[in-house]
Amino acid sequence: MKRFCSSDSMAALISVCPPTEENVPKSKQMYSKEFQALLDGIDDEDYREEASQTTVKKRRLSFNQVKALEKNFETENKLEPERKSQLAEELGLQPRQVAIWFQNRRARWKTKQLEKDFALLKANFDALKHDYNNLEQENRALNTQLKDLTAKLGKDNADSSHSVKEESPISETENNVTTEESTKHGLCYNVNAHEQQLVSPASSSSCALHFTPTSTSPQSVMEWFQLTDSRTVMSSVYQTQLVKLEEQSNLFSAEESCNFFSVDQAPTLQWYFTGQ
DNA sequence: TTGTGTTTTATTGCCTCC
DNA sequence: GGAGGCAATAAAACACAA
């Protein structure tokens, strides 16, 4: 266990209170007397009892000590026992003080790292949200446009007196996939674009979902669109972008990742938006 | 000078590893 | 079971506005 007797604490105190000018605060040079008392009575039973009653002042490490510790922390943020003792000797500190300093330093580093990660994550999330809003707006505009066009088409069909049997503009031999659902609605979903993407990822930028209604009746078109809920489409676009972001932005490097994105659970950041 | 917030040093309790 | 790490916390030191 890591329990330290009073003599350990006293020794630690002495180590941070060497009788040098460096360690004496400029404004408060009031420790020399007290420090001398500690030196004089370090092994004295009476003093020990007194020291336990009096408040022992905590001292900050000197500028040079901190500088040296920082330098060591840069090269290795965890110390081997030998290195710890060596460093303690070099700096006139107790090994335990060095250990504590490194422990606290690691904690500070972790906090900073979390702040950095959060800021980065937030910036990327904001950008993504902005993109999402734009896409949603675009989607709404396209839906409105579609409604107008289908309404117009319905009107045209009603006006035409001669009824011609409708034919599918694209035959089955054109490598289409006809699902049970789409067939029911007289529609055919063209997956050519998806196949192209699988073969040639470079062409993904020009890839788009093409739907090819086997019936051009406005009702069928509208039904098909009702089947593909716009939110589902948007969510898939959103997820694709999220994956791309992770791949491209170098946001989560192996060393610095905080595992915000786990395989099991996607981040929601709901906690962040509840406050907005 | 003093009240208050922040930083730094140190302790405690728990956990993991050997 | 001891050593060492970490999280939480205490307390001293420090900074700074009023």
Side-chain angles (χ1 to χ4, degrees):
Chain A
M1 288 294 278
K2 293 175 297 180
R3 297 295 160 263
F4 302 93
C5 64
S6 61
S7 61
D8 277 342
S9 300
M10 198 57 66
L13 175 78
I14 288 167
S15 70
V16 284
C17 301
T20 59
E21 276 299 308
E22 191 179 63
N23 241 11
V24 179
K26 287 163 195 157
S27 57
K28 301 176 184 176
Q29 302 205 352
M30 53 188 282
Y31 299 108
S32 57
K33 223 176 184 178
E34 186 181 318
F35 177 70
Q36 195 56 49
L38 293 179
L39 281 180
D40 293 340
I42 188 63
D43 287 320
D44 190 317
E45 277 298 323
D46 293 336
Y47 174 76
R48 277 186 203 169
E49 193 160 340
E50 191 184 330
S52 67
Q53 288 167 359
T54 58
T55 54
V56 178
K57 294 285 179 186
K58 199 186 281 186
R59 293 295 312 278
R60 292 202 168 188
L61 305 184
S62 73
F63 175 76
N64 287 335
Q65 283 171 329
V66 172
K67 200 174 157 186
L69 288 166
E70 286 285 358
K71 199 176 172 184
N72 277 273
F73 184 81
E74 275 176 26
T75 54
E76 43 181 352
N77 72 346
K78 280 185 185 174
L79 285 178
E80 295 295 319
E82 298 82 31
R83 180 73 189 126
K84 182 173 72 181
S85 301
Q86 187 191 351
L87 196 55
E89 200 175 340
E90 284 172 15
L91 300 175
L93 298 170
Q94 290 294 307
R96 173 161 167 76
Q97 280 184 291
V98 175
I100 288 168
W101 189 91
F102 267 76
Q103 203 161 300
N104 287 323
R105 186 67 183 79
R106 280 195 295 273
R108 285 198 294 272
W109 179 86
K110 194 178 172 184
T111 307
K112 282 269 192 306
Q113 204 57 37
L114 278 172
E115 284 171 4
K116 269 189 194 172
D117 285 345
F118 176 79
L120 207 57
L121 200 59
K122 187 180 177 298
N124 281 284
F125 183 84
D126 288 345
L128 208 55
K129 192 172 168 244
H130 183 256
D131 284 352
Y132 174 79
N133 288 338
N134 286 344
L135 284 169
E136 206 169 39
Q137 200 177 343
E138 198 180 332
N139 186 42
R140 275 196 297 269
L142 285 169
N143 271 326
T144 309
Q145 204 178 340
L146 180 74
K147 270 183 189 171
D148 290 346
L149 287 170
T150 50
K152 200 182 267 182
L153 188 64
K155 198 182 168 211
D156 287 350
N157 279 351
D159 286 349
S160 62
S161 55
H162 58 283
S163 171
V164 180
K165 189 187 175 188
E166 290 173 357
E167 286 183 16
S168 168
I170 299 174
S171 69
E172 289 282 323
T173 57
E174 289 181 50
N175 201 19
N176 288 336
V177 173
T178 307
T179 65
E180 190 185 325
E181 191 66 36
S182 61
T183 309
K184 194 175 80 185
H185 290 79
L187 294 165
C188 178
Y189 184 69
N190 187 337
V191 294
N192 282 342
H194 279 166
E195 285 172 358
Q196 282 168 10
Q197 189 182 15
L198 285 172
V199 173
S200 168
S203 65
S204 63
S205 59
S206 59
C207 170
L209 294 175
H210 297 298
F211 88 95
T212 314
T214 53
S215 163
T216 54
S217 79
Q219 197 185 352
S220 298
V221 173
M222 287 310 292
E223 281 176 3
W224 187 87
F225 259 84
Q226 280 163 5
L227 279 173
T228 59
D229 179 25
S230 65
R231 281 179 180 274
T232 311
V233 174
M234 291 307 293
S235 121
S236 76
V237 170
Y238 190 68
Q239 281 181 355
T240 307
Q241 289 217 351
L242 194 64
V243 171
K244 280 182 183 172
L245 177 82
E246 280 189 64
E247 286 170 353
Q248 291 170 6
S249 68
N250 254 346
L251 178 58
F252 305 103
S253 67
E255 288 175 6
E256 295 180 343
S257 166
C258 285
N259 285 329
F260 278 111
F261 291 113
S262 71
V263 177
D264 298 326
Q265 190 178 2
T268 61
L269 290 187
Q270 262 180 329
W271 51 272
Y272 171 67
F273 281 100
T274 49
Q276 287 196 336

